Amino acid sequence: MPTLRPVTPAATTAPAPAVGAPASVPPESLAGPPGTAARGQPADPQKFKVTVGPSAIDGQGAFAGEAIPARRKIGEMRGEFVDMAEARRRARLAEQTSGRIFMVAISDKRAVDATHSTDPLRFANHSCQPNMVLKVQQGRVAFYALRDIAEGEELTARYGETHHAGRLTCRCGAPGCQGRL
């Protein structure tokens, strides 16, 4: 018959290493490929490495940290869900203070405010000839490659209709640039 022992509180015991892993390997280094997470943790929405750096288009930009094949999901932009009235208020305030707006309308009634997000794709600049497309799917803002994207290339999307209503000069420099946002 098995012997019953009292359970030691979790705070006083060290976690057991994963099966087949040496005891010296920290648990956080056992994560799977990009986009996966440990059981009970949300998956990382970034499917490819994306970095942030100075942009020739405007301010900071998002850049491919590795080659990205055409038609593949690059990642997502997360943030706070707000109603459209609050989104407009925040956009006006951001325009007056920092000049940077990290907001995407996901419906006629709601938007995602990525101002405080750590997702690098929030820095994707507009281009009239983009290399990725922004898609809203089930309330999520996802980016997909329109063509093969080389490592180090700036990631751009066509913003479409914006609150600027044609008052902002486009700086993308692409052939056939529309000139205004």
Side-chain angles (χ1 to χ4, degrees):
M1 178 172 213
T3 305
L4 298 176
R5 296 181 297 224
V7 177
T8 308
T12 62
T13 61
V19 176
S24 62
V25 175
E28 59 274 6
S29 68
L30 299 175
T36 63
R39 178 176 280 163
Q41 298 297 316
D44 181 358
Q46 308 317 319
K47 306 304 179 192
F48 290 90
K49 184 178 177 188
V50 175
T51 61
V52 176
S55 167
I57 297 173
D58 186 41
Q60 297 281 63
F63 295 84
E66 61 185 308
I68 303 171
R71 298 179 302 280
R72 295 285 303 275
K73 182 177 181 179
I74 300 169
E76 296 180 8
M77 184 180 81
R78 298 171 294 180
E80 180 184 359
F81 292 99
V82 295
D83 64 43
M84 288 306 287
E86 178 65 10
R88 287 186 197 95
R89 186 191 74 72
R90 290 183 184 187
R92 281 191 302 275
L93 180 63
E95 196 169 34
Q96 294 167 356
T97 55
S98 69
R100 303 285 178 239
I101 300 167
F102 303 102
M103 193 98 47
V104 175
I106 58 172
S107 73
D108 291 340
K109 296 180 180 177
R110 292 182 13 157
V112 173
D113 180 354
T115 301
H116 302 291
S117 172
T118 58
D119 296 328
L121 286 168
R122 76 187 186 117
F123 290 99
N125 279 313
H126 166 83
S127 176
C128 294
Q129 293 196 359
N131 55 17
M132 63 179 185
V133 64
L134 178 154
K135 293 183 179 183
V136 175
Q137 301 167 317
Q138 299 175 348
R140 299 172 84 136
V141 180
F143 293 87
Y144 291 83
L146 289 170
R147 59 170 173 76
D148 289 342
I149 301 171
E151 181 177 347
E153 187 175 345
E154 183 164 5
L155 299 172
T156 59
R158 186 182 308 270
Y159 284 179
E161 189 176 316
T162 71
H163 75 285
H164 298 294
R167 296 183 312 264
L168 185 65
T169 301
C170 181
R171 301 182 201 142
C172 75
C177 174
Q178 299 172 0
R180 313 267 309 131
L181 288 178

